[in-house]
Amino acid sequence: MSSSIFAAVEMAPRDPILGLNESFNADARTTKVNLGVGVYFDDNGKIPLLNAVKVAEKARLEAMPPRGYQPIEGPGAYNQAVQALLFGKDSALLAEGRVVTAEALGGTGALKVGADYLKRLLPDATVYISDPAGKTTARCSSPPVFRSTAIRTTTKPRAASISTA
Amino acid sequence: MKAKLNSLPAGAIIVLHACCHNPTGADLSEAQWREVIAAIQTRGLVAFIDMAYQGFADSIAEDALALNLFAASGLQFFVSSSFSKSFSLYGERVGALSIVTAGKDESARVMSQIKRVIRTNYSNPPIHGGAIVAAVLANPELRQMWEDELAGMRDRIRAMRVSLVDKLKAKGVARDFSFVAQQRGMFSYTGLSAEQVERMRSEFGIYAVSTGRICLAALNTKNIDYVADAIAAVL
Ligand SMILES: Cc1ncc(COP(=O)(O)O)c(C=O)c1O
């Protein structure tokens, strides 16, 4: 009888922030409050669906466009809209063709694609992540993403505390 | 921070948050950004600017301050940006990687490499979330509607920050929490210890990260008194 290929697999540590959600969801108290995850809730404690999104989504559903593959880097209209938000639509950088943009799966996906590329471009570089409180565990998406890309990471103690009261 | 930057080896990659620093809520001033950029130039570092909260500090345009300063510096740099928070589209996974190069020719070559990374990971992005965002941004009326709604989220968080500070003071808490009202974005470090955070959870059902980070955007007019009471009780 052969043993399972997973027989020796260890339990991975829980994500410190998303793991908190699991505990929160399991809590039966009606007065419970989740101050852990970085999500905006409205005054009724609900995640809003913005009206601008509702209108655009409704129009899109009514048009029922086909679902072909997208360009690898995502649609040009989307990427140009991103560039205009980041740099301003009249930015000299954009006019000079100095900015390339690729749609990504959220900010985390963008960090991961960037980290993968940096690993090719600068294989031996260390990544420093600003950690103003001088604590060392990861508390947002960026550190684990860089760690999973196997670029050496470290934190920069007290980086931005210069602007803390 | 400046001293630390000046001690890094050339070619080191440094991840910086453009605004609404997660987890502290503490942002750099324009003068401080200029110093950071100067250090990056002197040391030959590579900046990766993570911008997940554009519009949550002051406005879309004002929150791009750091990017504009980097743009004017002539440096090459990376930017990750996200619409998860600003469009409240967390589960659609809409964001972007932008890279600033030295010129058009470099741009074409860099883009070819980025496409290779994407192609070998997930091939190409999903359609729906990005299409919604692009449609809103392309339509002046919808874009205005979005900016107003984003301003509404920003103002509500700010009101909760001010209110929490007031309530803690009113409950006789001696520790100065006024920094919470001055900080921007969703988060602040409360300064609560891991033990105090644990008491908040076990005694009150209030969940915070063990480092003392709280998300102010989860406070509302119905739960803020309860949260303030709990903080006062565990301090
Ligand atoms: C600084 C920072 N970067 C990136 C992200 C990830 O954003 P997304 O949910 O779009 O992946 C977050 C989310 O909490 C964040 O706080």
Side-chain angles (χ1 to χ4, degrees):
Chain A
M1 201 190 77
S2 60
S3 73
S4 163
I5 54 167
F6 306 116
V9 172
E10 284 172 21
M11 196 67 181
R14 248 172 28 145
D15 181 273
I17 293 170
L18 297 182
L20 210 59
N21 278 351
E22 294 164 16
S23 311
F24 177 79
N25 290 336
D27 192 325
R29 284 173 283 191
T30 53
T31 51
K32 65 184 178 177
V33 183
N34 188 353
L35 304 179
V37 69
V39 171
Y40 175 90
F41 297 91
D42 64 18
D43 198 49
N44 296 312
K46 298 258 183 303
I47 297 173
L49 186 65
L50 302 186
N51 287 317
V53 167
K54 280 184 199 162
V55 174
E57 189 153 52
K58 192 152 179 278
R60 186 172 155 72
L61 287 178
E62 276 162 10
M64 291 205 176
R67 306 286 157 96
Y69 287 123
Q70 298 230 80
I72 295 171
E73 73 281 21
Y78 171 88
N79 289 329
Q80 281 157 23
V82 168
Q83 292 178 347
L85 276 182
L86 297 180
F87 298 105
K89 66 178 174 10
D90 301 321
S91 149
L93 285 193
L94 300 183
E96 291 160 11
R98 283 183 56 204
V99 188
V100 293
T101 297
E103 182 173 353
L105 308 187
T108 309
L111 286 160
K112 175 64 177 160
V113 172
D116 280 355
Y117 175 50
L118 279 166
K119 183 68 184 162
R120 280 174 188 268
L121 184 71
L122 305 166
D124 300 320
T126 298
V127 181
Y128 294 82
I129 294 163
S130 73
D131 186 5
K135 311 238 170 82
T136 46
T137 48
R139 267 164 272 80
C140 74
S141 303
S142 31
V145 165
F146 276 101
R147 287 206 187 98
S148 72
T149 309
I151 291 184
R152 277 177 293 156
T153 62
T154 178
T155 47
K156 234 174 358 71
R158 272 167 269 281
S161 55
I162 40 178
S163 59
T164 322
Chain B
M1 179 176 193
K2 219 171 51 178
K4 179 70 199 184
L5 285 176
N6 280 319
S7 72
L8 298 183
I13 299 154
I14 162 165
V15 180
L16 300 160
H17 290 180
C19 70
C20 304
H21 191 276
N22 176 0
T24 64
D27 286 337
L28 301 186
S29 69
E30 175 168 348
Q32 288 168 331
W33 276 117
R34 286 187 190 283
E35 290 183 27
V36 166
I37 290 169
I40 286 171
Q41 281 174 316
T42 318
R43 301 295 307 167
L45 308 177
V46 179
F48 199 138
I49 303 168
D50 186 12
M51 174 114 133
Y53 300 95
Q54 189 175 14
F56 275 94
D58 292 306
S59 68
I60 289 291
E62 287 164 277
D63 292 358
L65 166 74
L67 287 186
N68 292 331
L69 296 173
F70 270 93
S73 72
L75 283 166
Q76 290 86 59
F77 57 97
F78 289 63
V79 183
S80 57
S81 57
S82 169
F83 293 115
S84 298
K85 328 269 173 174
S86 62
F87 269 79
S88 194
L89 282 175
Y90 307 87
E92 292 287 353
R93 312 308 300 136
V94 209
L97 173 69
S98 297
I99 302 177
V100 177
T101 71
K104 224 181 181 125
D105 178 59
E106 249 181 48
S107 287
R109 286 180 279 126
V110 169
M111 185 52 129
S112 73
Q113 294 293 337
I114 292 303
K115 283 163 76 166
R116 181 157 84 168
V117 170
I118 292 172
R119 179 71 176 127
T120 53
N121 268 292
Y122 53 87
S123 195
N124 55 86
I127 294 182
H128 190 70
I132 302 286
V133 168
V136 170
L137 294 178
N139 177 312
E141 227 172 280
L142 290 183
R143 162 133 188 174
Q144 190 57 53
M145 196 188 279
W146 167 63
E147 287 208 31
D148 293 346
E149 294 186 277
L150 179 54
M153 293 195 275
R154 176 171 71 230
D155 292 344
R156 203 191 74 76
I157 299 173
R158 201 171 289 177
M160 287 299 113
R161 286 178 173 279
V162 171
S163 177
L164 183 63
V165 175
D166 289 349
K167 285 182 191 295
L168 288 172
K169 199 181 267 173
K171 288 177 199 307
V173 170
R175 192 189 290 181
D176 182 14
F177 278 98
S178 58
F179 65 91
V180 170
Q182 285 144 25
Q183 291 173 345
R184 293 283 181 267
M186 291 195 184
F187 304 110
S188 281
Y189 266 136
T190 53
L192 293 181
S193 67
E195 293 72 37
Q196 289 165 332
V197 167
E198 174 51 28
R199 278 188 63 197
M200 297 255 289
R201 189 194 62 75
S202 57
E203 292 173 31
F204 298 92
I206 297 173
Y207 289 71
V209 184
S210 60
T211 53
R213 186 193 87 169
I214 62 167
C215 175
L216 285 307
L219 293 177
N220 59 50
T221 49
K222 288 139 208 131
N223 67 18
I224 192 165
D225 279 297
Y226 183 65
V227 170
D229 280 335
I231 294 175
V234 301
L235 273 179

